[in-house]
Amino acid sequence: MATGESGMEHSTVVTRNAPSTLLRNHQQPNFGYFDGAVPSLAAISDSKGRVLPTSLSALTSPAHRQLEMVMLQHADYQLLLRQSSQTLASQVLVFDLVRQQARRIMPNPLALRSHQLSPSGYHGESQCGVMNFIKSQGDWQIMLNMQRQKLQLIGEVALQPNPLSLPVVSCGAIAGGWSYQQQHHGLAASGKLQLNHEPQVLSRMSAGYSFFATEQRERTPWHWLMLNTDQQAHRIGMTLVDGLSAAFPGNALWLDGARHILPYCQMVASSDIAGDWQLISATEQVIGRFVPKIDVSVQRPVGKHRSRVMSGGLDIDIRLPDNQLLSLRGIHALGGIEY
């Protein structure tokens, strides 16, 4: 059992120090769980043999994909901010939990010209003119300037982990390639935010981010699920991923900042694609049910690639390594399918 640098690690999963670059010689990645974010995801040497960081999204191979998401959870609504190498644009989804409906905030098409993604989830900036994700040594800050939209959204928000809290960071093999994940949920939000001309109280929100980078010759659908909430006098965050690496799935629960790495969890829709999801891990350490209530399709401006994002209720039981049982019922969560 590795405790990493935080002293808050309560998982029996072995982690190790993050390498300076994800890719080794011959472009083979370092596989495993890491105690922190990897500074550079792609490595290219210059004429003097120095390693230069390169954004995966800037590489010419269509097999490289990058997806970045930030979730802000309020009692009355959820905000999901997305930047992707597939959509080539920033996208904001607002899930109104009172009216049970979703609204989109899309950037001006002119912003597509300035779209870029950061070289990693550790440092750099992903932006398309009206929404920026700024990373500094693994800490994330969000800048929003969507004033000209029908549903206005502006502000500067910092995502703040508890002291010594660690993200879940992993790299694993997938069919015909590899996947890198860096995720941190159960975070506090600070700064300022204005939605529809109304200032929001960030101290009443919980937050988290997910960063995915993959290299894969054949695209296959994969599922993700995330939650951020304050329940039972605890701040709780969770992320589950099904369809990427089975050996290092990047699943985790944060309980007041303490990270618990979770096993691979199968997520299967019970009927159609928007039906209830059944969640179960091999040893039944994780058992749950996600019931989508609001379903949104996110279409790429050019081409057929799309994603589905759903807001719904989650009932889940998680057995922690110390044999503590965490039972959550009726929790607001977000799920998605990436194609």
Side-chain angles (χ1 to χ4, degrees), residues 54-274:
T54 303
S55 171
L56 288 178
S57 61
L59 299 179
T60 57
S61 171
H64 292 279
R65 304 174 70 184
Q66 189 165 315
L67 171 64
E68 306 177 19
M69 295 186 288
V70 171
M71 176 185 177
L72 294 172
Q73 176 73 56
H74 186 273
D76 296 331
Y77 64 88
Q78 297 161 310
L79 283 178
L80 183 67
L81 318 177
R82 290 172 55 101
Q83 301 221 44
S84 169
S85 59
Q86 294 299 296
T87 58
L88 301 177
S90 297
Q91 300 165 330
V92 179
L93 300 176
V94 183
F95 294 94
D96 187 329
L97 302 177
V98 177
R99 297 181 178 87
Q100 287 295 295
Q101 63 185 23
R103 299 186 64 178
R104 307 168 190 257
I105 304 178
M106 302 294 290
N108 188 304
L110 294 178
L112 297 177
R113 298 179 180 179
S114 61
H115 182 262
Q116 67 177 29
L117 295 179
S118 63
S120 72
Y122 180 82
H123 68 90
E125 182 174 353
S126 296
Q127 60 88 23
C128 84
V130 292
M131 184 170 77
N132 296 19
F133 294 170
I134 302 169
K135 301 99 174 175
S136 176
Q137 297 184 350
D139 292 330
W140 284 44
Q141 180 181 8
I142 314 305
M143 299 185 66
L144 302 161
N145 187 25
M146 298 180 174
Q147 301 185 58
R148 299 182 180 181
Q149 309 298 317
K150 188 174 182 180
L151 187 63
Q152 175 240 45
L153 182 65
I154 59 175
E156 298 180 11
V157 181
L159 307 184
Q160 298 180 320
N162 282 20
L164 305 179
S165 180
L166 291 173
V168 59
V169 183
S170 66
C171 180
I174 55 179
W178 52 264
S179 69
Y180 171 85
Q181 304 179 45
Q182 176 189 326
Q183 305 188 72
H184 208 166
H185 292 270
L187 308 179
S190 66
K192 56 185 179 180
L193 181 68
Q194 193 176 96
L195 175 62
N196 202 24
H197 306 283
E198 295 182 2
Q200 305 299 304
V201 182
L202 290 174
S203 61
R204 298 177 182 174
M205 294 187 185
S206 51
Y209 73 80
S210 292
F211 179 99
F212 302 95
T214 64
E215 179 185 83
Q216 188 178 20
R217 288 192 296 271
E218 296 182 2
R219 298 186 179 95
T220 56
W222 54 278
H223 296 65
W224 56 264
L225 184 73
M226 64 176 72
L227 73 85
N228 290 282
T229 186
D230 292 306
Q231 295 285 328
Q232 306 171 13
H234 296 289
R235 171 153 285 177
I236 301 172
M238 189 190 72
T239 178
L240 297 175
V241 178
D242 178 15
L244 294 181
S245 170
F248 306 105
N251 296 339
L253 169 79
W254 289 265
L255 188 60
D256 294 326
R259 180 190 65 179
H260 302 268
I261 296 178
L262 300 177
Y264 189 89
C265 187
Q266 181 175 277
M267 295 186 274
V268 179
S270 58
S271 55
D272 56 53
I273 197 170

Side-chain angles (χ1 to χ4, degrees), residues 1-6 9-19 31-36 166-170 248 259-261:
M1 170 176 164
T3 59
E5 299 176 358
S6 71
E9 181 63 61
H10 291 79
S11 172
T12 56
V13 173
V14 175
T15 64
R16 56 193 176 94
N17 292 333
F31 292 120
Y33 279 105
F34 309 119
D35 284 333
L166 291 173
V168 59
V169 183
S170 66
F248 306 105
R259 180 190 65 179
H260 302 268
I261 296 178

Side-chain angles (χ1 to χ4, degrees), residues 227 229-232 234 236-238 253 255 287-289 314-318 325-331:
L227 73 85
T229 186
D230 292 306
Q231 295 285 328
Q232 306 171 13
H234 296 289
I236 301 172
M238 189 190 72
L253 169 79
L255 188 60
I287 302 177
R289 179 168 167 259
L314 177 65
D315 295 335
I316 193 166
D317 293 324
I318 302 174
L325 179 64
L326 178 66
S327 295
L328 301 175
R329 296 293 181 266
I331 303 298

